[in-house]
Each structure stands twice: as structure tokens, then as C-alpha cells.
Amino acid sequence: MGQRFPLFPEQASTVAPMTDNLYFFLIGITVLFSTGIFLAILIFAIKYRRRSEDQVPVQYEGPASLEIIWTLVPLGIVMLMFAWGTHVFFAATTPPRDAIEIYGVGKQWMWKLQHMEGHREINELHVPVGTPVRVTLTSEDVIHSFFVPDFRIKTDVLPGRYTTAWFEATKPGRYRLFCAEYCGTDHSRMIGWIHVMEPQEYQAWLSGGGAEGSMAASGQKLFEDLGCASCHTTDGRGRGPNLVGLFGSPVALAGGGTVKADAAYIRESILAPNAKIVAGYQPIMPTFQGLVTEEGITQLIEHIRSLGQQPGAAPAGQPVQPEAAGTKAGER
């Protein structure tokens, strides 16, 4: 449909036709009812106008069936809009499990993007055609908005939070990436390109160099450089929780309650470690606020995500009991 409307952006993703079809349906319903109401007002104003000063209009009460019709018909249309809109919403906001993972950081006034393989890009993103792509986004400074008109995706990018956008491009080509939230004096210059490539061409681009190791490997190096391994040991005897198998698992907190160890929780633990204390541990971890960039935080998250459960390791986020470690309580 978009090809027949030259003023509309190209339909270049799986979500674009769904979004456009719903949009045109809503426009059609709006035009239909607006035209009908206007014509009814015009006809009634002429037909039932007052013709003399002493004319008294006759009160007319319509049948109950008419009342039922003009109540149920709009209700049915509104429910159709709701069901259709809900379907499109979930399709546009629920990325497939096999989607390629990309991390993005908005900064005045650029988009910084990083692939799992380690490739970094600024104001450009290379992706394969016909493959779902999930972009996890955050901001270093102010609110931005990740907007690709040809893909019909727009996601606010907030400082201190992770938001997600996903798309599956259907046509190779080059598509504009905008910031759709006013973010400062050079907001209009915060633009980039998404390059959609054939799978073989994309694999050739990935293997063409430029990567400094995967995000998980970079995160592991940063983890060691910051001295995190001295407290977060894999045997559970360190001063900090064991991180093996942590990502995605529930973590028991001091004072009761649990929290899921997702990206947001890990980010908060790095920047504000005393916000949620793991049960069995003391609030001794220092903050790394200002010491680690947003890109570094995402690398640390990917490193922790990559840690699989090791045989005999303590459950994620839990200390090893002295007896289980082969020592007595007073010998630690």
C-alpha cells in the first residue's frame, strides 16, 4: 500500500504494512463518520428549519431498535480498533527470541551502536535483510528517540533505563535513522543510516575487521581491569555474590523479596550497588558511577550474561555456606 502513496515513507519492515493498514483503517473510519455527521447536520438544518415564529416542533421518539443499532455499531467498531491495535502493538514490541542483539547509546548528538561480535558504529548500523534485529537502547545524557520511518519504529531512549526496539527489514537498502525527541541545539543533526544487506554481504562485512573482540570478551577484560573478580569469585567464597548463571535468575534480597537479574538490575548494581543488597552480603561494593561508560556497562552485562552455570558452583547471587565449602564457620 505504501508504494501507492508517494508522500509516505517506504514500507521496508515486517511491521510497516501492519501499521499502515491499521492507520488507513482509522483514517477511513474517521472520514466516514465525519462526512456522515456533517451531511446529517446540513440536511437536518435545512429540512427541519423553523419556518415561522409560532411554529412548535413535534417531539419524535424513535424506536428502541434504532437506539440499539447506533449503540452497538460504534461499539463494534471501537472493539475492532482495540483488538487490531493490540495485535499490532504486541507485534511491534515483542522481538523474536532469535533476533540479533545490538546495543545502542544515544548521546548529544550521535547514535553509538555496538554488535555482539564487537563491531562499533557511529550514526550507522549494518544489519542483514530478513533477520529480526533487537536494539537495546539507553542514553548518556538526555531523552532521545530512536526513529526509523521506513520501518515504522519509534522508541524513546531514556537516561538510566533500557528500552528496546526491534525490526526485521524486508528490503536491502539504506534507510534514515532520526532522533525524534528534541534533545538540544544540534538535535536536527542527530541522524544516521541503517544499511540493510544481503546475508552473505553482511557476513563479509562482519569478517572484514574492525572488531576488537566480542562484547562479552571486552566485558570480561573490563571486569578484570576494574578488580571485580577479586570479590565476585566463581566459588562463592568472595565478598560479593557469585555471578555464574546470574543473568535472568531470581536474586534474594536482604530484608526479604526477590528481583530478577536482568540488564536493568545489573546496571543499577554497578552504578548504585547499595540500592538492592543481596541476602547474605554486606553493602561494601563501591559505586562505579563516572568510572564506567554506558558502553562499558553494556559490555559488563554481556560478560555476565555469557557466564554459564558451572558444575558445583553456588547458585547465582548466593554465598557458599561454610560447611558446603569444606570449612567451619570460625575458620573463614
Side-chain angles (χ1 to χ4, degrees):
M1 179 178 288
Q3 301 298 328
R4 297 195 294 269
F5 290 87
L7 297 180
F8 275 69
E10 185 176 2
Q11 292 181 346
S13 74
T14 54
V15 174
M18 301 168 58
T19 304
D20 287 353
N21 291 339
L22 175 60
Y23 174 76
F24 286 120
F25 173 76
L26 297 176
I27 291 295
I29 290 295
T30 302
V31 171
L32 176 64
F33 274 84
S34 299
T35 303
I37 292 171
F38 173 79
L39 290 177
I41 292 174
L42 180 63
I43 293 172
F44 291 168
I46 295 174
K47 182 176 180 180
Y48 298 108
R49 70 187 186 279
R50 192 173 186 181
R51 290 175 171 79
S52 64
E53 292 293 333
D54 57 351
Q55 182 181 2
V56 178
V58 178
Q59 183 68 29
Y60 174 77
E61 295 185 5
S65 58
L66 184 60
E67 296 281 352
I68 294 174
I69 289 174
W70 68 38
T71 299
L72 293 182
V73 170
L75 175 62
I77 295 174
V78 169
M79 293 306 296
L80 174 61
M81 292 179 182
F82 173 78
W84 194 347
T86 300
H87 172 72
V88 174
F89 172 79
F90 281 109
T93 58
T94 308
R97 293 182 179 274
D98 61 344
I100 294 176
E101 293 280 351
I102 304 289
Y103 276 98
V105 177
K107 179 183 178 181
Q108 294 172 317
W109 289 274
M110 67 180 69
W111 295 106
K112 299 189 290 185
L113 299 143
Q114 187 169 3
H115 299 250
M116 290 295 102
E117 294 81 4
H119 290 74
R120 297 184 180 185
E121 304 186 75
I122 295 180
N123 291 335
E124 289 190 334
L125 177 61
H126 291 74
V127 297
V129 67
T131 302
V133 177
R134 170 178 172 155
V135 187
T136 301
L137 298 155
T138 190
S139 170
E140 281 192 10
D141 35 49
V142 299
I143 300 176
H144 301 284
S145 188
F146 190 86
F147 178 42
V148 186
D150 295 314
F151 297 164
R152 307 299 192 271
I153 61 170
K154 177 183 178 296
T155 302
D156 286 346
V157 182
L158 310 174
R161 288 181 56 185
Y162 288 112
T163 56
T164 300
W166 86 275
F167 60 86
E168 181 179 342
T170 56
K171 301 176 182 178
R174 195 170 68 149
Y175 304 98
R176 274 291 189 186
L177 166 63
F178 295 96
C179 175
E181 184 75 31
Y182 181 72
C183 55
T185 55
D186 285 342
H187 161 71
S188 61
R189 297 174 55 189
M190 192 169 172
I191 54 178
W193 293 99
I194 295 184
H195 302 268
V196 180
M197 314 166 74
E198 295 291 349
Q200 300 84 352
E201 186 181 0
Y202 175 72
Q203 291 301 323
W205 177 83
L206 280 180
S207 59
E212 301 175 356
S214 67
M215 286 190 65
S218 299
Q220 181 180 6
K221 182 178 184 302
L222 183 58
F223 188 83
E224 295 169 353
D225 291 344
L226 294 173
C228 305
S230 63
C231 292
H232 297 283
T233 60
T234 57
D235 59 9
R237 297 190 181 95
R239 291 179 294 176
N242 174 26
L243 303 182
V244 175
L246 171 69
F247 195 90
S249 64
V251 176
L253 301 178
T258 60
V259 64
K260 182 179 179 181
D262 56 10
Y265 166 76
I266 295 173
R267 183 185 187 279
E268 182 185 49
S269 298
I270 295 170
L271 302 181
N274 292 333
K276 295 182 178 68
I277 306 299
V278 178
Y281 292 93
Q282 298 298 316
I284 60 175
M285 178 174 169
T287 177
F288 289 89
Q289 181 80 46
L291 300 177
V292 185
T293 64
E294 288 293 344
E295 291 96 326
I297 293 174
T298 57
Q299 291 170 359
L300 289 171
I301 291 172
E302 282 307 309
H303 167 59
I304 295 173
R305 188 205 295 260
S306 69
L307 297 176
Q309 185 71 41
Q310 295 181 358
Q318 300 297 324
V320 170
Q321 299 300 322
E323 293 77 10
T327 62
K328 295 181 181 180
E331 297 177 347
R332 297 198 66 184

